[in-house]
Amino acid sequence: MSDAALWAALADPHRRAVVALLRTGPRTVGEIAQACELSQPSASKHLKVLREAGLVRVCQEAQRRVHTLDPAPLAALDAWLAPYRKLWGESLDALGRRLDTRPDTTEPTSKD
């Protein structure tokens, strides 16, 4: 799995919907297609991209192929985002401090 494949897989909103659905548990392609309002061939194509990116695993259960989410690539993505999340946190903290020092202008003014 390459980082580029992971980002490309997650760039598509349909694939993000599939990942979100699989977060709740294993699903067949038919269940995924129905829940994500996709045709079965379209769902299969999206699942193929997700499998190639390492985000989805498939196993055979009797006549069914069941797809599950593999969280390992998401953990790697989370680790990559960690320094940026810290920057956002610091920026939001600074904004909060700035807003706390401003006078409250939400009070209606009295016109006696």
Side-chain angles (χ1 to χ4, degrees):
M1 166 208 55
S2 73
D3 287 346
L6 178 61
W7 287 105
L10 293 172
D12 184 276
H14 294 294
R15 290 192 285 268
R16 288 193 307 272
V18 171
V19 168
L21 178 65
L22 291 177
R23 189 174 50 109
T24 65
R27 300 279 191 271
T28 64
V29 68
E31 292 168 334
I32 292 167
Q34 183 178 14
C36 295
E37 298 179 351
L38 298 168
S39 68
Q40 193 157 342
S42 180
S44 293
K45 287 179 184 179
H46 288 300
L47 285 165
K48 180 181 178 190
V49 172
L50 292 168
R51 278 194 314 273
E52 289 173 352
L55 288 161
V56 170
R57 289 179 272 170
V58 64
C59 65
Q60 192 80 27
E61 290 183 4
Q63 300 294 338
R64 302 175 347 143
R65 293 173 45 123
V66 179
H67 298 81
T68 58
L69 184 63
D70 185 348
L74 294 174
L77 179 63
D78 183 57
W80 185 87
L81 288 170
Y84 300 99
R85 193 176 302 110
K86 183 181 177 201
L87 286 173
W88 271 105
E90 290 170 358
S91 296
L92 291 174
D93 289 344
L95 175 61
R97 286 189 301 273
R98 173 78 172 139
L99 293 174
D100 288 343
T101 62
R102 294 183 64 188
D104 187 4
T105 58
T106 59
E107 294 290 323
T109 58
S110 160
K111 295 188 180 188
D112 292 322

